[in-house]
Amino acid sequence: MTTETTVPSSGTQPRASKIPHGPVRPVRLGGGFRLPSRRPPASSESPLPLFAADLLAALAGAAGLQEAGGGPVPVAALVAGALLLRPRSARPGPGVPGVLDELPALCGRTAVTWLGLAALLAAYDPARALSARTLLLGWALHAAAAGAGRGAVQWRRRAALLRQPRTALVVGPAATAQRVAAALLRHPRCGVRPVGVVADHPEGSAGLPVLTTGEEVERALIQNRVRVVLTVHPAVRTEKAPLLRALAASGCTLWEAEPDSPAYEMRDQLAGFAVRRLDSGARRGAVGKRLLDVVVSGTLLVLAGPVLLVCATVLRLTGGPGVVFRQERVGKDGRPFTMLKFRTHRPADEQEAATRWSVAGDQRMSPFCRLLRRTSMDELLQLWNVFRGDMSLVGPRPERPYFVARFSRIHPGYAARHRMRTGITGLAQVNGLRGDTSIEDRARFDNAYIDNWSLWQDIRILLRTAAAVVRSTGS
């Protein structure tokens, strides 16, 4: 929870960036038009067929309880446990997973359900304890029925995709994108049918149409009802960031393929290419993350109320009016917001406030202001930004528009940090990237945090931050 005083690293060559530094609007591409920002949402697969398959499988397994004199209570307990522990569908990929992909989880969860039922029955009435034969028979019936039911549901979904595959755009260098698109067309069973390639230059006329203007991309989205976008080069995420954000806002699902290099952590595959979804994990856990932000920030605001009052009073008496410092920062998706802090330094003018990187060590600060900065207490007011939803407790640290534009040009990964709501603290900060440290390293840690987000990771970072504050390791 410290104020940024980092100086830019000089180890990276400047690189063009197109990230918007104001409010994010539907992105204008060549031709001065806007991508459609509101389309009917893509029809998601209903969970009811798999739920019904798991319910019928549990009832089939309950047949194994009959020889043990099973009654309605053990059957109800079995069904409830089976539905609570039912395996979720495999990670959502561009195609449909096979039943063999989730068979280990299916068998394991079924075994846990039956062992739990056996333990409950034995504890309640030892005379009705299930024999090993009953356990094995019930588990086998249950697992076989679940595998058959889920296999039938997935077979129907694959058949539907074969009849009507998901249309897709492939984004990246034309030659690579055409090669990936051709491979997808040769394997229709993957369920994805490319209809165009988005590239800066055609680089030849063979293959699918190359879309180089905004009008062509818009036309392809509407006419072909495109719902899948596949990027085929790592640089696309940075160089085409505004386009990808616009495509995601229009209802498309974004995937990244690695056609020319090994991708050790990508478990999904499409026509032999390793792929991963570009949506961050935080989107899946957005409700939990926001709930954590509201509860923790609200509690801390109440508990820290007397401390905030004392700090404000001392600052008013020693430095005059203007206790709260308001500064524009860039948040999620490039949207600006007003960040609050206690005023520990008075810039000479607006130009200094917007472009001076660090005020650490400024001789104009009073001893009390130095104490606030050293203990990070000057940032306590940012809890109000978190409570309002401008920021999160954990996330990439926000920066001023001037430096966002500058660092986005110099460091390729910096723009990608704005995929997530900014935070008071983050993975970079708890790994020592405060003070005069590398912007390139900070961007790398921030992007790693976003790519591997989990609620537990947020809690760990908060605990490490609290320990750092107690040791007074602020700037």
Side-chain angles (χ1 to χ4, degrees):
M1 296 172 62
T2 61
T3 304
E4 301 299 344
T5 58
T6 305
V7 295
S9 169
S10 59
T12 305
Q13 296 298 322
R15 183 174 184 173
S17 174
K18 300 179 182 179
I19 183 173
H21 307 303
V24 171
R25 302 177 178 89
V27 178
R28 290 184 181 271
L29 303 178
F33 84 104
R34 296 169 184 257
L35 287 179
S37 58
R38 292 185 180 180
R39 291 193 295 167
S43 56
S44 57
E45 295 173 341
S46 172
L48 291 180
L50 286 179
F51 183 87
D54 293 334
L55 175 61
L56 293 176
L59 294 177
L65 293 173
Q66 298 306 317
E67 68 176 35
V73 174
V75 171
L78 174 66
V79 171
L83 295 181
L84 286 174
L85 294 178
R86 60 189 291 262
R88 300 297 184 264
S89 299
R91 294 196 313 162
V96 178
V99 67
L100 294 179
D101 297 328
E102 53 188 18
L103 187 60
L106 187 67
C107 294
R109 290 172 181 259
T110 303
V112 170
T113 301
W114 278 88
L115 290 174
L117 176 65
L120 288 176
L121 289 177
Y124 178 74
D125 185 0
R128 300 183 62 184
L130 299 180
S131 64
R133 181 176 181 276
T134 301
L135 271 176
L136 184 60
L137 176 61
W139 171 82
L141 289 174
H142 191 164
R150 283 179 164 255
V153 172
Q154 292 167 353
W155 177 82
R156 288 180 61 86
R157 289 179 175 175
R158 282 194 297 272
L161 272 182
L162 191 60
R163 292 192 305 269
Q164 190 174 1
R166 300 185 178 102
T167 52
L169 292 178
V170 185
V171 184
T176 304
Q178 291 284 12
R179 180 161 56 89
V180 172
L184 295 177
L185 292 173
R186 289 195 300 268
H187 296 83
R189 292 180 62 85
C190 68
V192 175
R193 178 172 61 86
V195 295
V197 167
V198 181
D200 293 330
H201 307 287
E203 298 181 14
S205 58
L208 292 175
V210 179
L211 313 176
T212 59
T213 66
E215 291 87 347
E216 293 172 343
V217 175
E218 181 184 35
R219 192 179 305 116
L221 287 178
I222 297 174
Q223 292 181 351
N224 298 283
R225 298 181 181 180
V226 172
R227 292 299 185 181
V228 175
V229 174
L230 189 67
T231 68
V232 294
H233 194 277
V236 171
R237 281 187 294 170
T238 301
E239 296 175 354
K240 301 289 187 183
L243 171 63
L244 295 181
R245 283 197 297 269
L247 290 170
S250 70
C252 295
T253 304
L254 307 184
W255 292 84
E256 181 181 58
E258 293 284 355
D260 298 316
S261 61
Y264 302 105
E265 296 300 326
M266 296 184 183
R267 291 179 288 174
D268 294 315
Q269 67 85 27
L270 189 65
F273 296 113
V275 296
R276 65 175 176 181
R277 191 164 181 172
L278 289 183
D279 298 339
S280 68
R283 178 170 299 181
R284 298 190 299 273
V287 175
K289 184 175 177 66
R290 181 61 187 145
L291 182 62
L292 177 68
D293 287 343
V294 171
V295 171
V296 174
S297 64
T299 303
L300 290 179
L301 281 171
V302 173
L303 296 178
V307 177
L308 296 176
L309 182 59
V310 169
C311 292
T313 302
V314 174
L315 285 174
R316 178 64 176 83
L317 295 176
T318 59
V323 170
V324 178
F325 177 64
R326 297 173 174 84
Q327 190 176 64
E328 184 182 53
R329 297 291 178 105
V330 177
K332 185 176 183 294
D333 293 330
R335 297 186 182 94
F337 69 95
T338 301
M339 192 181 75
L340 305 179
K341 294 175 59 176
F342 280 124
R343 184 181 295 278
T344 58
H345 166 75
R346 293 183 182 273
D349 50 35
E350 293 185 2
Q351 178 71 12
E352 179 184 350
T355 61
R356 183 174 179 181
W357 177 243
S358 172
V359 296
D362 194 306
Q363 298 302 317
R364 292 174 289 177
M365 281 193 293
S366 67
F368 182 71
C369 292
R370 293 181 188 278
L371 174 66
L372 290 183
R373 292 181 60 84
R374 188 171 63 251
T375 59
S376 299
M377 292 175 61
D378 61 324
E379 300 189 23
L380 284 176
L381 288 182
Q382 292 171 36
L383 292 170
W384 178 247
N385 288 116
V386 175
F387 192 78
R388 285 186 50 182
D390 299 327
M391 299 173 61
S392 178
L393 290 170
V394 183
R397 284 291 294 163
E399 195 43 73
R400 286 161 283 178
Y402 171 83
F403 289 106
V404 168
R406 178 182 174 187
F407 296 153
S408 295
R409 289 192 301 268
I410 299 174
H411 305 286
Y414 193 85
R417 300 166 67 250
H418 297 92
R419 294 174 287 159
M420 178 179 281
R421 187 175 290 153
T422 55
I424 296 180
T425 186
L427 185 63
Q429 283 66 47
V430 298
N431 279 279
L433 291 171
R434 297 172 294 184
D436 295 338
T437 53
S438 168
I439 291 293
E440 180 182 355
D441 290 346
R442 169 142 348 138
R444 186 171 64 253
F445 272 90
D446 287 338
N447 286 316
Y449 163 77
I450 297 172
D451 290 338
N452 301 283
W453 179 87
S454 69
L455 197 59
W456 175 241
Q457 182 178 205
D458 275 10
I459 295 174
R460 287 166 45 207
I461 291 174
L462 289 174
L463 293 175
R464 293 175 63 182
T465 300
V469 170
V470 170
R471 293 195 301 267
S472 296
T473 56
S475 61

